Amino acid sequence: MPSIVIVGGGFAGTTLARALDGRLPPDCELTLISDESYMTFNPMLPEAVGASVFPEQVVAPVREMLSARSRFVMGRVTAVDAQARTLRCETLGGERALEYDHLVLAFGNRARLDLLPGLAEHALPLKTVGDAMHIRNVVLRRLARMELEWDAQVRRELGHFVVIGGGFSGVEVAGELADCLRSVGRFYPRVHANELRVTVLHDTDRLLPELPAKLGAAALVSLTRRGVAVRLGARAAAIAPRSVELSGGPVLEARNVICTIGTRPNALVERLGLPLERGRIRVAADMSVPSHAGLWALGDCALVPNALDGKAAPPTAQFAVREARQLAANLLAALQGRPTRPFSARSRGMMAAIGHRKGVAQVFGIGFSGLPAWLLWRAYYLSQMPTLRRKLRIFVEWTWGMFFPADITHLRFTRSEELQAEEQAPPTLACLDKSEPRGCRWPTAPSSPS
Ligand SMILES: Cc1cc2nc3c(=O)[nH]c(=O)nc-3n(C[C@H](O)[C@H](O)[C@H](O)COP(=O)(O)OP(=O)(O)OC[C@H]3O[C@@H](n4cnc5c(N)ncnc54)[C@H](O)[C@@H]3O)c2cc1C
C-alpha cells in the first residue's frame, strides 16, 4: 500500500492534503502531520493583534479539512531518514517512527529573534497566533497600567508602540493598532488619546515595497491620517526594555516594540542535511528534492523555481497554495508513472488590510484602496475557510465586528492553583508611587503628554 506523508499543516500542507484527499487510488494512504491542530491564516494575524477579529477566527482545525479517508497526526517531526524512507515524530502518545513512500516537507519557517541586539529579550515577534494573542494582551495591559500611572515619563513609554518593518505585516499591524487604540479609548477614560502613539520604522524610502509605489503612498496617507508616525529610511539598531535605538543615534522611548521582519529556517531543515539555498530546501522544477527519490518540498521552507520567469517563487501564502495544487498533480502523476510538470504561476496580485475597513490591493494589475480593497481581502480569506458551517459562522462574526469597537477582554488563562499562589503571596505595597499626591490614590483626570 503506497503511503504519502505531508509534514506541516499550513497553507501548503493543508491545500495539498485537500487536493489529494479523494483523488488518490483507494489503496493509497495519506497522512498529514503537524505540530498544531489548526492551520493559521497568517495574513490575518495583524487583525487579531488589533482585536478586530478573535484569534479563533484566524485559524481552522486541520481535522475539519480532511475526510475520513485521510489521517491527521498532531505531532512534531524531529528526524527524517531519506534513504530508509522513515521519519520520527513526537506525538501526544510518545515518539513514533513512520514509513513512507512519498514525503512532502511543508513545515514553513520561524521568526528570527537574533536580528538585532535586545530583540529576543524585549521585542514582540509576530509569527504565530500565540504571538498575536500575546501582543493583544500586552496592548490591553499597557492601557490598564496607564490608568494607574502618575509618572509622565513612564506613561510616555507605556503608550508608545513601535512597529519594526513597513512591509505587509508592519503596515497592517500599525493600522490595526492605531484603530484599536482609538476605538477602545472610551473604556480607559484616564488615558488621553494624545498619549497613545504608533510609530513605524522602515529602512527604505517607501512603504509596501512589494506593491506599486501608488499603493505604498496610499498606505502612507491612510496611516498618517490616523496619527501613525511613519519614519522612512529609519533602521532599528538595538532594543532595550524602555527604548529603541535607531541607526545613526536617535533613541525612541517606548516599552512596546513589535517586530514584523526576519525569518529563520525551521530547526528541522538543518537536521535533514538536504541542499539549502538562503536557508530554504533547494528543489527541482517539479518540487522534488534532487537525488532523494520520494522526497518533495514546497511553501516557505523550499526554494521553488518558477518556470514562468526562472526566479524563485516568493514565500507567500498565494504561492504556497498554488505550489500545493501543482504538487498534488505531480504526486498523482508519479504514482501512475506519468511525467511530472514544473511549477509555473503568475502572481494574481497582492492585498493588505491596513486597519478597520481599510485596505490596499493590486489584483490582475488593477490597483485600488480603501473599503473595496478591505472587503476583497476579507472575502478572499473567508473563501479559504473550510466547511460551509465555519464560513457562515465567521461571516456573521466578522460582519458583527465591523460595526462595534474592538473587544477589550483580556483573557489570562489563570488556573486555580496559580490563583491560590497569588492570594497566598505577601502583599506588595511598593507600587504606591512616592510622587502620588496625598489623598488621591489614582490619576483622576486625563493627563496631557508633555
Ligand atoms: C504576520 C504574517 C503576515 C503575512 N501576510 C501575508 C500576506 O498578506 N500575504 C501572503 O501571501 N503571505 C503572507 N504571509 C506569509 C504566509 O503566511 C506564508 O508564506 C505561508 O504561511 C507559507 O505557508 P507554508 O505552508 O509554507 O508555511 P506555514 O503556513 O508557516 O505552515 C507551516 C506548518 O508546519 C508546522 N510545522 C513546523 N515545523 C513542524 C514540524 N517539525 N513537525 C510538524 N509540523 C511542523 C507548523 O506548525 C505550521 O502549521 C504572512 C506571514 C506572517 C507571519
XYZ file of all heavy atoms in Angstrom, residues 46-47 49-50 126 161-182 197-201 207 219 222-224 226-230 258 260 353-356:
338
model
N -2.388 40.290 11.983
C -2.447 41.682 12.442
C -3.851 42.093 12.902
O -4.000 42.887 13.826
C -2.007 42.480 11.212
C -1.122 41.539 10.459
C -1.741 40.190 10.659
N -4.880 41.522 12.273
C -6.242 41.873 12.691
C -6.561 41.287 14.064
O -7.326 41.865 14.832
C -7.257 41.411 11.640
C -7.095 42.226 10.363
C -8.064 41.819 9.274
O -9.247 42.120 9.385
O -7.605 41.194 8.308
N -4.228 41.002 16.335
C -3.473 41.900 17.235
C -4.317 43.125 17.568
O -4.414 43.552 18.710
C -2.156 42.366 16.552
C -1.515 43.508 17.304
C -1.184 41.207 16.425
N -4.965 43.682 16.546
C -5.775 44.892 16.741
C -7.154 44.575 17.292
O -7.988 45.472 17.378
N 5.865 38.695 15.571
C 4.521 38.308 15.120
C 4.663 37.242 14.046
O 4.961 37.540 12.888
C 3.762 39.523 14.573
C 2.355 39.200 14.059
C 1.474 38.642 15.156
C 1.700 40.421 13.437
N 3.901 52.593 20.849
C 4.025 51.289 20.197
C 4.848 51.462 18.923
O 4.442 52.202 18.024
C 2.634 50.733 19.850
C 1.805 50.466 21.075
C 1.110 51.499 21.706
C 1.758 49.208 21.639
C 0.371 51.268 22.852
C 1.030 48.956 22.792
C 0.330 49.997 23.401
N 6.002 50.819 18.888
C 6.887 50.950 17.722
C 6.825 49.654 16.911
O 6.991 48.563 17.467
C 8.340 51.237 18.162
C 9.270 51.250 16.955
C 8.424 52.563 18.893
N 6.534 49.784 15.634
C 6.457 48.605 14.760
C 7.684 48.611 13.851
O 7.911 49.584 13.126
C 5.168 48.648 13.899
C 5.093 47.435 12.982
C 3.931 48.730 14.795
N 8.471 47.558 13.911
C 9.656 47.478 13.037
C 9.247 46.775 11.744
O 8.801 45.624 11.762
C 10.806 46.717 13.718
C 11.187 47.404 15.027
C 12.014 46.622 12.787
C 12.349 46.760 15.737
N 9.381 47.478 10.624
C 9.058 46.896 9.313
C 7.872 47.599 8.676
O 6.819 47.717 9.305
N 8.062 48.039 7.440
C 6.973 48.710 6.715
C 6.519 47.894 5.523
O 6.028 48.427 4.537
N 6.707 46.565 5.612
C 6.170 45.666 4.582
C 4.717 45.363 4.934
O 4.097 46.076 5.729
N 4.175 44.276 4.355
C 2.762 43.953 4.585
C 2.414 43.873 6.069
O 1.538 44.575 6.549
C 2.415 42.621 3.918
C 2.152 42.754 2.455
C 3.046 42.254 1.529
C 1.021 43.399 2.001
C 2.806 42.386 0.171
C 0.775 43.544 0.648
C 1.668 43.030 -0.266
N 3.135 43.014 6.809
C 2.750 42.787 8.212
C 2.896 44.055 9.035
O 2.039 44.358 9.866
C 3.612 41.690 8.840
O 3.680 40.603 8.006
N 3.987 44.811 8.805
C 4.228 46.015 9.609
C 3.144 47.055 9.405
O 2.605 47.620 10.358
N 2.793 47.290 8.130
C 1.758 48.287 7.821
C 0.408 47.825 8.387
O -0.355 48.608 8.949
C 1.706 48.492 6.287
C 0.465 49.240 5.865
C 2.949 49.236 5.830
N 0.147 46.530 8.267
C -1.128 46.007 8.771
C -1.209 46.135 10.286
O -2.221 46.572 10.837
C -1.280 44.535 8.356
C -1.560 44.382 6.872
C -1.420 42.954 6.360
O -1.084 42.054 7.159
O -1.628 42.749 5.180
N -0.124 45.795 10.975
C -0.133 45.878 12.442
C -0.298 47.337 12.885
O -1.089 47.640 13.779
C 1.168 45.283 13.038
C 1.284 45.599 14.515
C 1.208 43.788 12.830
N 0.440 48.239 12.237
C 0.370 49.653 12.641
C -1.044 50.195 12.445
O -1.589 50.867 13.330
C 1.375 50.468 11.828
N -1.647 49.890 11.290
C -3.001 50.378 11.015
C -4.000 49.799 11.998
O -4.863 50.503 12.529
N -3.869 48.513 12.273
C -4.789 47.862 13.203
C -4.638 48.430 14.618
O -5.621 48.666 15.306
C -4.515 46.346 13.236
C -5.108 45.602 12.085
C -6.629 45.525 12.165
O -7.186 45.591 13.273
O -7.253 45.422 11.102
N -3.376 48.636 15.019
C -3.145 49.161 16.373
C -3.721 50.568 16.523
O -4.363 50.874 17.535
C -1.635 49.223 16.649
C -1.010 48.001 17.295
C 0.478 48.225 17.466
C -1.657 47.708 18.639
N -3.488 51.406 15.498
C -3.990 52.783 15.569
C -5.511 52.769 15.726
O -6.063 53.480 16.578
C -3.581 53.553 14.316
N -6.193 51.943 14.934
C -7.656 51.896 15.014
C -8.124 51.290 16.330
O -9.103 51.732 16.921
C -8.218 51.081 13.839
C -8.101 51.846 12.535
O -7.699 53.023 12.579
O -8.403 51.269 11.477
N -7.403 50.268 16.774
C -7.785 49.609 18.033
C -7.655 50.595 19.203
O -8.572 50.749 20.007
C -6.896 48.392 18.242
S -7.017 47.672 19.863
N -6.516 51.312 19.264
C -6.287 52.235 20.387
C -7.352 53.335 20.386
O -7.826 53.759 21.448
C -4.876 52.837 20.302
C -3.739 51.833 20.521
C -2.387 52.459 20.196
C -3.745 51.304 21.959
N -7.723 53.785 19.187
C -8.740 54.840 19.128
C -10.114 54.301 19.543
O -10.839 54.925 20.300
C -8.818 55.408 17.707
C -9.421 56.817 17.685
C -9.584 57.331 16.292
N -10.179 56.319 15.442
C -9.898 56.158 14.157
N -9.032 56.935 13.587
N -10.482 55.236 13.437
N 0.659 56.485 20.989
C 1.327 56.756 19.707
C 1.761 55.454 19.054
O 2.167 54.516 19.755
C 2.574 57.621 19.945
C 2.238 59.046 20.401
C 3.491 59.803 20.745
N 4.220 59.181 21.835
C 5.543 59.164 21.951
N 6.299 59.730 21.036
N 6.129 58.584 22.987
N 1.666 55.427 17.737
C 2.167 54.271 16.974
C 3.206 54.806 15.996
O 2.944 55.788 15.289
C 1.025 53.560 16.205
C 1.567 52.376 15.415
C -0.078 53.107 17.154
N 4.374 54.197 15.979
C 5.435 54.602 15.046
C 5.851 53.393 14.211
O 6.000 52.293 14.757
C 6.671 55.119 15.826
O 6.267 56.240 16.610
C 7.802 55.535 14.894
N 5.997 53.601 12.895
C 6.503 52.524 12.023
C 7.923 52.889 11.612
O 8.169 54.013 11.171
C 5.639 52.392 10.741
C 6.191 51.293 9.845
C 4.195 52.103 11.092
N 8.831 51.947 11.746
C 10.205 52.155 11.272
C 10.409 51.318 10.024
O 10.169 50.097 10.036
C 11.214 51.690 12.329
C 11.113 52.329 13.715
C 12.168 51.721 14.639
C 11.287 53.833 13.620
N 6.721 52.708 1.857
C 6.053 51.568 2.479
C 5.674 50.541 1.409
O 5.568 50.873 0.231
C 4.778 52.019 3.200
C 4.956 52.918 4.422
C 3.587 53.342 4.955
C 5.749 52.209 5.518
N -1.107 53.849 1.356
C -0.987 53.317 2.723
C -0.371 54.361 3.645
O -0.815 54.532 4.793
C -0.140 52.042 2.715
N -3.017 56.944 4.459
C -4.017 56.374 5.364
C -3.478 56.281 6.802
O -4.163 56.620 7.751
C -4.428 54.999 4.839
O -5.244 54.350 5.752
N -2.228 55.850 6.925
C -1.656 55.708 8.277
C -1.435 57.076 8.921
O -1.786 57.274 10.095
C -0.330 54.947 8.225
C -0.400 53.447 7.916
C 0.990 52.843 7.903
C -1.262 52.715 8.937
N -0.858 58.017 8.174
C -0.543 59.320 8.789
C -1.832 60.055 9.159
O -1.885 60.730 10.167
C 0.363 60.192 7.893
O -0.052 60.052 6.558
C 1.802 59.799 7.966
N -4.353 58.777 10.360
C -4.812 58.231 11.645
C -3.798 58.456 12.765
O -3.873 57.841 13.819
C -5.104 56.733 11.483
C -6.421 56.498 10.765
C -6.653 55.045 10.535
N -5.978 54.555 9.340
C -5.652 53.282 9.128
N -5.918 52.386 10.058
N -5.061 52.926 8.015
N -2.800 59.280 12.490
C -1.863 59.683 13.547
C -0.647 58.780 13.685
O 0.145 58.945 14.616
N -0.473 57.813 12.777
C 0.702 56.939 12.877
C 1.922 57.711 12.352
O 1.858 58.333 11.288
C 0.502 55.647 12.041
C 1.757 54.775 12.063
C -0.704 54.874 12.544
N 3.003 57.683 13.122
C 4.242 58.344 12.666
C 5.028 57.332 11.842
O 5.434 56.289 12.366
C 5.052 58.786 13.872
N 5.194 57.604 10.562
C 5.937 56.669 9.693
C 7.324 57.252 9.471
O 7.461 58.347 8.936
C 5.202 56.459 8.347
C 6.004 55.523 7.450
C 3.805 55.904 8.582
N 7.138 45.940 18.340
C 6.606 44.774 17.631
C 7.459 44.566 16.387
O 7.639 45.489 15.600
C 5.132 45.007 17.251
C 4.336 45.204 18.552
C 4.569 43.834 16.457
C 3.031 45.883 18.374
N 8.129 42.796 12.872
C 7.454 42.055 11.795
C 8.442 41.646 10.707
O 8.029 41.260 9.617
C 6.329 42.923 11.171
O 6.930 44.061 10.559
C 5.313 43.360 12.191
N -4.703 44.458 4.491
C -5.699 45.190 5.290
C -4.899 46.131 6.174
O -4.067 45.673 6.958
C -6.511 44.211 6.124
N -5.145 47.439 6.060
C -4.286 48.369 6.806
C -5.061 49.074 7.920
O -4.771 50.205 8.268
C -3.603 49.383 5.869
C -4.646 50.106 5.004
C -2.572 48.703 4.989
C -4.045 51.271 4.226
N -6.043 48.374 8.444
C -6.817 48.931 9.553
C -8.265 48.535 9.386
O -8.613 47.753 8.490
N -9.094 49.068 10.285
C -10.507 48.713 10.289
C -11.179 49.263 9.024
O -11.232 50.470 8.819
C -11.143 49.304 11.550
C -12.466 48.688 11.871
N -12.685 47.331 11.877
C -13.647 49.253 12.169
C -13.933 47.093 12.185
N -14.540 48.241 12.363
